[in-house]
Amino acid sequence: MTEPPANPAPKALAEPVVRFDSVGMRYGRGPEILRDITFDLPRGSFQFLTGPSGAGKTTLLRLIYMARKPSRGLISHFGGDSASLSRRELPHVRRRIGMVFQDFRMLSHLNVFENVALPLRVAGRKRAEYAEDVAELISWVGLGDKMDAQPATLSGGEQQRVAIARAIVGQPELLVADEPTGNVDPAMGRRLLRLFTELNKLGTTVLIATHDITLVRALDVPILTLADGRLSVKGTRAA
């Protein structure tokens, strides 16, 4: 993986990667799933997102990824108002975000190597430039012997690891992961967490939504908790 560009400003002075200001979200005419959500994701931070099932964690992540628009309130990405983005600008901003979906979203006609390398291909990179890095990353997530395998032949845990590798292969400025260790054993979960922390050390902002208390307790980082449509910040484990 290539080295990320240097931040244009010191971490403390830089604009947050994502900012929510009094955001509300509802589907159709139903009740609000998220209410008055206000928070920042500081550049270079690592945070967990927790909360009971149905609390709105996946909805919040979709708003961050700009797969949904809020019903009210303001969301900014990388210092700019997301609502003002044109259809042409949206894909370019979204490429700065690595997203791990719960349903993996692998392309069935591509093998493991091609699925992981897809963000680099879309960015215009040549295979010769990234082949070694992609192969190394696939091996790191324990799928070195599956590079030519088709998605249909993989287990759920294997597909999840492919989705994680694809999300981080380009060292995005922001990584958002929805239950990234939900289908892997504890040992692989710890290995993936190390991968996330190493990516964070290189400058990527990381937000992981999880029910895994063991995972949350492994790092002394801020914890965002969703309950009854509202978000609270518990600070670090030490606090």
PDB file of all heavy atoms in Angstrom, residues 104 106 112 141-143 145-146 149-151 153-164 183-184:
ATOM      1  N   PHE A 104     -21.426  -7.224   2.564  1.00  0.00           N
ATOM      2  CA  PHE A 104     -20.186  -7.452   1.809  1.00  0.00           C
ATOM      3  C   PHE A 104     -20.153  -6.778   0.439  1.00  0.00           C
ATOM      4  O   PHE A 104     -19.147  -6.209   0.052  1.00  0.00           O
ATOM      5  CB  PHE A 104     -19.889  -8.949   1.646  1.00  0.00           C
ATOM      6  CG  PHE A 104     -20.083  -9.760   2.879  1.00  0.00           C
ATOM      7  CD1 PHE A 104     -20.760 -10.958   2.845  1.00  0.00           C
ATOM      8  CD2 PHE A 104     -19.606  -9.312   4.104  1.00  0.00           C
ATOM      9  CE1 PHE A 104     -20.957 -11.707   3.989  1.00  0.00           C
ATOM     10  CE2 PHE A 104     -19.794 -10.049   5.267  1.00  0.00           C
ATOM     11  CZ  PHE A 104     -20.475 -11.258   5.199  1.00  0.00           C
ATOM     12  N   MET A 106     -19.833  -7.853  -2.638  1.00  0.00           N
ATOM     13  CA  MET A 106     -18.812  -8.316  -3.577  1.00  0.00           C
ATOM     14  C   MET A 106     -19.413  -8.459  -4.972  1.00  0.00           C
ATOM     15  O   MET A 106     -20.608  -8.751  -5.127  1.00  0.00           O
ATOM     16  CB  MET A 106     -18.243  -9.658  -3.107  1.00  0.00           C
ATOM     17  CG  MET A 106     -17.507  -9.581  -1.784  1.00  0.00           C
ATOM     18  SD  MET A 106     -16.805 -11.179  -1.313  1.00  0.00           S
ATOM     19  CE  MET A 106     -15.632 -11.420  -2.643  1.00  0.00           C
ATOM     20  N   VAL A 112     -11.439 -12.989  -5.967  1.00  0.00           N
ATOM     21  CA  VAL A 112     -11.043 -12.288  -4.740  1.00  0.00           C
ATOM     22  C   VAL A 112     -10.050 -11.176  -5.039  1.00  0.00           C
ATOM     23  O   VAL A 112     -10.216 -10.030  -4.594  1.00  0.00           O
ATOM     24  CB  VAL A 112     -10.444 -13.287  -3.723  1.00  0.00           C
ATOM     25  CG1 VAL A 112      -9.736 -12.546  -2.585  1.00  0.00           C
ATOM     26  CG2 VAL A 112     -11.538 -14.185  -3.156  1.00  0.00           C
ATOM     27  N   VAL A 141      -5.094 -10.940   5.524  1.00  0.00           N
ATOM     28  CA  VAL A 141      -6.412 -11.275   6.063  1.00  0.00           C
ATOM     29  C   VAL A 141      -6.699 -12.774   5.974  1.00  0.00           C
ATOM     30  O   VAL A 141      -7.835 -13.211   6.176  1.00  0.00           O
ATOM     31  CB  VAL A 141      -7.536 -10.472   5.369  1.00  0.00           C
ATOM     32  CG1 VAL A 141      -7.351  -8.981   5.592  1.00  0.00           C
ATOM     33  CG2 VAL A 141      -7.623 -10.791   3.874  1.00  0.00           C
ATOM     34  N   GLY A 142      -5.659 -13.559   5.684  1.00  0.00           N
ATOM     35  CA  GLY A 142      -5.781 -15.014   5.743  1.00  0.00           C
ATOM     36  C   GLY A 142      -6.381 -15.674   4.529  1.00  0.00           C
ATOM     37  O   GLY A 142      -6.871 -16.802   4.605  1.00  0.00           O
ATOM     38  N   LEU A 143      -6.316 -15.013   3.368  1.00  0.00           N
ATOM     39  CA  LEU A 143      -6.926 -15.557   2.165  1.00  0.00           C
ATOM     40  C   LEU A 143      -5.924 -15.696   1.025  1.00  0.00           C
ATOM     41  O   LEU A 143      -6.301 -15.638  -0.150  1.00  0.00           O
ATOM     42  CB  LEU A 143      -8.100 -14.668   1.721  1.00  0.00           C
ATOM     43  CG  LEU A 143      -9.273 -14.587   2.700  1.00  0.00           C
ATOM     44  CD1 LEU A 143     -10.279 -13.537   2.227  1.00  0.00           C
ATOM     45  CD2 LEU A 143      -9.949 -15.941   2.856  1.00  0.00           C
ATOM     46  N   ASP A 145      -4.549 -18.196  -0.189  1.00  0.00           N
ATOM     47  CA  ASP A 145      -4.813 -19.327  -1.073  1.00  0.00           C
ATOM     48  C   ASP A 145      -6.152 -19.207  -1.796  1.00  0.00           C
ATOM     49  O   ASP A 145      -6.592 -20.138  -2.468  1.00  0.00           O
ATOM     50  CB  ASP A 145      -4.781 -20.626  -0.272  1.00  0.00           C
ATOM     51  CG  ASP A 145      -5.822 -20.654   0.844  1.00  0.00           C
ATOM     52  OD1 ASP A 145      -6.310 -19.566   1.221  1.00  0.00           O
ATOM     53  OD2 ASP A 145      -6.150 -21.753   1.329  1.00  0.00           O
ATOM     54  N   LYS A 146      -6.802 -18.038  -1.674  1.00  0.00           N
ATOM     55  CA  LYS A 146      -8.128 -17.849  -2.266  1.00  0.00           C
ATOM     56  C   LYS A 146      -8.163 -16.714  -3.286  1.00  0.00           C
ATOM     57  O   LYS A 146      -9.236 -16.263  -3.673  1.00  0.00           O
ATOM     58  CB  LYS A 146      -9.146 -17.527  -1.166  1.00  0.00           C
ATOM     59  CG  LYS A 146      -9.233 -18.558  -0.053  1.00  0.00           C
ATOM     60  CD  LYS A 146     -10.196 -19.657  -0.382  1.00  0.00           C
ATOM     61  CE  LYS A 146     -10.428 -20.573   0.795  1.00  0.00           C
ATOM     62  NZ  LYS A 146     -11.439 -21.595   0.520  1.00  0.00           N
ATOM     63  N   ALA A 149     -10.347 -17.341  -6.194  1.00  0.00           N
ATOM     64  CA  ALA A 149     -11.659 -17.903  -5.894  1.00  0.00           C
ATOM     65  C   ALA A 149     -12.773 -16.923  -6.230  1.00  0.00           C
ATOM     66  O   ALA A 149     -12.605 -15.708  -6.131  1.00  0.00           O
ATOM     67  CB  ALA A 149     -11.732 -18.292  -4.417  1.00  0.00           C
ATOM     68  N   GLN A 150     -13.930 -17.454  -6.610  1.00  0.00           N
ATOM     69  CA  GLN A 150     -15.112 -16.636  -6.864  1.00  0.00           C
ATOM     70  C   GLN A 150     -15.888 -16.447  -5.559  1.00  0.00           C
ATOM     71  O   GLN A 150     -15.865 -17.317  -4.676  1.00  0.00           O
ATOM     72  CB  GLN A 150     -16.008 -17.300  -7.910  1.00  0.00           C
ATOM     73  CG  GLN A 150     -15.341 -17.499  -9.269  1.00  0.00           C
ATOM     74  CD  GLN A 150     -14.896 -16.197  -9.894  1.00  0.00           C
ATOM     75  OE1 GLN A 150     -13.729 -16.032 -10.258  1.00  0.00           O
ATOM     76  NE2 GLN A 150     -15.813 -15.255 -10.029  1.00  0.00           N
ATOM     77  N   PRO A 151     -16.572 -15.330  -5.402  1.00  0.00           N
ATOM     78  CA  PRO A 151     -17.297 -15.044  -4.154  1.00  0.00           C
ATOM     79  C   PRO A 151     -18.249 -16.159  -3.724  1.00  0.00           C
ATOM     80  O   PRO A 151     -18.381 -16.437  -2.530  1.00  0.00           O
ATOM     81  CB  PRO A 151     -18.052 -13.756  -4.489  1.00  0.00           C
ATOM     82  CG  PRO A 151     -17.200 -13.079  -5.510  1.00  0.00           C
ATOM     83  CD  PRO A 151     -16.625 -14.198  -6.337  1.00  0.00           C
ATOM     84  N   THR A 153     -17.968 -19.213  -3.764  1.00  0.00           N
ATOM     85  CA  THR A 153     -17.303 -20.363  -3.131  1.00  0.00           C
ATOM     86  C   THR A 153     -16.777 -20.030  -1.739  1.00  0.00           C
ATOM     87  O   THR A 153     -16.236 -20.907  -1.065  1.00  0.00           O
ATOM     88  CB  THR A 153     -16.129 -20.845  -4.000  1.00  0.00           C
ATOM     89  OG1 THR A 153     -15.087 -19.856  -4.015  1.00  0.00           O
ATOM     90  CG2 THR A 153     -16.583 -21.120  -5.431  1.00  0.00           C
ATOM     91  N   LEU A 154     -16.933 -18.789  -1.295  1.00  0.00           N
ATOM     92  CA  LEU A 154     -16.382 -18.353  -0.011  1.00  0.00           C
ATOM     93  C   LEU A 154     -17.430 -18.430   1.086  1.00  0.00           C
ATOM     94  O   LEU A 154     -18.623 -18.256   0.843  1.00  0.00           O
ATOM     95  CB  LEU A 154     -15.867 -16.921  -0.116  1.00  0.00           C
ATOM     96  CG  LEU A 154     -14.806 -16.617  -1.177  1.00  0.00           C
ATOM     97  CD1 LEU A 154     -14.468 -15.134  -1.153  1.00  0.00           C
ATOM     98  CD2 LEU A 154     -13.559 -17.460  -0.958  1.00  0.00           C
ATOM     99  N   SER A 155     -16.974 -18.658   2.310  1.00  0.00           N
ATOM    100  CA  SER A 155     -17.867 -18.594   3.468  1.00  0.00           C
ATOM    101  C   SER A 155     -18.179 -17.142   3.789  1.00  0.00           C
ATOM    102  O   SER A 155     -17.551 -16.217   3.251  1.00  0.00           O
ATOM    103  CB  SER A 155     -17.201 -19.255   4.677  1.00  0.00           C
ATOM    104  OG  SER A 155     -16.089 -18.478   5.110  1.00  0.00           O
ATOM    105  N   GLY A 156     -19.137 -16.928   4.697  1.00  0.00           N
ATOM    106  CA  GLY A 156     -19.467 -15.561   5.088  1.00  0.00           C
ATOM    107  C   GLY A 156     -18.286 -14.843   5.702  1.00  0.00           C
ATOM    108  O   GLY A 156     -18.044 -13.663   5.418  1.00  0.00           O
ATOM    109  N   GLY A 157     -17.517 -15.536   6.549  1.00  0.00           N
ATOM    110  CA  GLY A 157     -16.346 -14.918   7.164  1.00  0.00           C
ATOM    111  C   GLY A 157     -15.283 -14.558   6.150  1.00  0.00           C
ATOM    112  O   GLY A 157     -14.616 -13.523   6.266  1.00  0.00           O
ATOM    113  N   GLU A 158     -15.110 -15.410   5.132  1.00  0.00           N
ATOM    114  CA  GLU A 158     -14.132 -15.125   4.087  1.00  0.00           C
ATOM    115  C   GLU A 158     -14.564 -13.942   3.251  1.00  0.00           C
ATOM    116  O   GLU A 158     -13.738 -13.068   2.912  1.00  0.00           O
ATOM    117  CB  GLU A 158     -13.933 -16.373   3.226  1.00  0.00           C
ATOM    118  CG  GLU A 158     -13.187 -17.481   3.942  1.00  0.00           C
ATOM    119  CD  GLU A 158     -13.215 -18.801   3.183  1.00  0.00           C
ATOM    120  OE1 GLU A 158     -14.123 -18.991   2.335  1.00  0.00           O
ATOM    121  OE2 GLU A 158     -12.332 -19.639   3.421  1.00  0.00           O
ATOM    122  N   GLN A 159     -15.847 -13.873   2.913  1.00  0.00           N
ATOM    123  CA  GLN A 159     -16.337 -12.727   2.163  1.00  0.00           C
ATOM    124  C   GLN A 159     -16.168 -11.436   2.957  1.00  0.00           C
ATOM    125  O   GLN A 159     -15.859 -10.382   2.397  1.00  0.00           O
ATOM    126  CB  GLN A 159     -17.815 -12.934   1.801  1.00  0.00           C
ATOM    127  CG  GLN A 159     -18.056 -14.014   0.761  1.00  0.00           C
ATOM    128  CD  GLN A 159     -19.484 -14.022   0.267  1.00  0.00           C
ATOM    129  OE1 GLN A 159     -20.053 -12.981  -0.032  1.00  0.00           O
ATOM    130  NE2 GLN A 159     -20.066 -15.201   0.155  1.00  0.00           N
ATOM    131  N   GLN A 160     -16.364 -11.526   4.260  1.00  0.00           N
ATOM    132  CA  GLN A 160     -16.198 -10.340   5.102  1.00  0.00           C
ATOM    133  C   GLN A 160     -14.759  -9.837   5.061  1.00  0.00           C
ATOM    134  O   GLN A 160     -14.509  -8.636   4.980  1.00  0.00           O
ATOM    135  CB  GLN A 160     -16.592 -10.667   6.538  1.00  0.00           C
ATOM    136  CG  GLN A 160     -16.665  -9.437   7.440  1.00  0.00           C
ATOM    137  CD  GLN A 160     -17.488  -9.698   8.673  1.00  0.00           C
ATOM    138  OE1 GLN A 160     -17.462 -10.796   9.225  1.00  0.00           O
ATOM    139  NE2 GLN A 160     -18.228  -8.709   9.115  1.00  0.00           N
ATOM    140  N   ARG A 161     -13.811 -10.764   5.085  1.00  0.00           N
ATOM    141  CA  ARG A 161     -12.397 -10.369   5.032  1.00  0.00           C
ATOM    142  C   ARG A 161     -12.041  -9.762   3.682  1.00  0.00           C
ATOM    143  O   ARG A 161     -11.232  -8.836   3.608  1.00  0.00           O
ATOM    144  CB  ARG A 161     -11.509 -11.576   5.351  1.00  0.00           C
ATOM    145  CG  ARG A 161     -11.457 -11.891   6.836  1.00  0.00           C
ATOM    146  CD  ARG A 161     -10.589 -13.090   7.115  1.00  0.00           C
ATOM    147  NE  ARG A 161     -11.342 -14.332   7.029  1.00  0.00           N
ATOM    148  CZ  ARG A 161     -10.781 -15.536   6.924  1.00  0.00           C
ATOM    149  NH1 ARG A 161      -9.464 -15.648   6.826  1.00  0.00           N
ATOM    150  NH2 ARG A 161     -11.531 -16.609   6.879  1.00  0.00           N
ATOM    151  N   VAL A 162     -12.648 -10.273   2.607  1.00  0.00           N
ATOM    152  CA  VAL A 162     -12.442  -9.661   1.292  1.00  0.00           C
ATOM    153  C   VAL A 162     -12.980  -8.237   1.286  1.00  0.00           C
ATOM    154  O   VAL A 162     -12.335  -7.309   0.780  1.00  0.00           O
ATOM    155  CB  VAL A 162     -13.126 -10.499   0.190  1.00  0.00           C
ATOM    156  CG1 VAL A 162     -13.024  -9.776  -1.162  1.00  0.00           C
ATOM    157  CG2 VAL A 162     -12.490 -11.871   0.083  1.00  0.00           C
ATOM    158  N   ALA A 163     -14.157  -8.046   1.881  1.00  0.00           N
ATOM    159  CA  ALA A 163     -14.762  -6.714   1.928  1.00  0.00           C
ATOM    160  C   ALA A 163     -13.895  -5.740   2.711  1.00  0.00           C
ATOM    161  O   ALA A 163     -13.763  -4.563   2.343  1.00  0.00           O
ATOM    162  CB  ALA A 163     -16.158  -6.802   2.552  1.00  0.00           C
ATOM    163  N   ILE A 164     -13.288  -6.211   3.796  1.00  0.00           N
ATOM    164  CA  ILE A 164     -12.406  -5.358   4.594  1.00  0.00           C
ATOM    165  C   ILE A 164     -11.167  -4.991   3.793  1.00  0.00           C
ATOM    166  O   ILE A 164     -10.754  -3.821   3.754  1.00  0.00           O
ATOM    167  CB  ILE A 164     -12.027  -6.068   5.902  1.00  0.00           C
ATOM    168  CG1 ILE A 164     -13.250  -6.163   6.827  1.00  0.00           C
ATOM    169  CG2 ILE A 164     -10.883  -5.339   6.607  1.00  0.00           C
ATOM    170  CD1 ILE A 164     -13.042  -7.059   8.027  1.00  0.00           C
ATOM    171  N   ASN A 183     -18.382 -12.072  11.573  1.00  0.00           N
ATOM    172  CA  ASN A 183     -18.417 -13.431  11.042  1.00  0.00           C
ATOM    173  C   ASN A 183     -17.061 -14.130  11.088  1.00  0.00           C
ATOM    174  O   ASN A 183     -16.850 -15.100  10.365  1.00  0.00           O
ATOM    175  CB  ASN A 183     -18.914 -13.414   9.589  1.00  0.00           C
ATOM    176  CG  ASN A 183     -20.380 -13.050   9.488  1.00  0.00           C
ATOM    177  OD1 ASN A 183     -21.246 -13.750   9.993  1.00  0.00           O
ATOM    178  ND2 ASN A 183     -20.661 -11.925   8.859  1.00  0.00           N
ATOM    179  N   VAL A 184     -16.152 -13.636  11.935  1.00  0.00           N
ATOM    180  CA  VAL A 184     -14.831 -14.255  12.025  1.00  0.00           C
ATOM    181  C   VAL A 184     -14.585 -14.712  13.460  1.00  0.00           C
ATOM    182  O   VAL A 184     -15.234 -14.245  14.399  1.00  0.00           O
ATOM    183  CB  VAL A 184     -13.713 -13.281  11.583  1.00  0.00           C
ATOM    184  CG1 VAL A 184     -13.932 -12.848  10.139  1.00  0.00           C
ATOM    185  CG2 VAL A 184     -13.646 -12.053  12.487  1.00  0.00           C
TER     186      VAL A 184
END
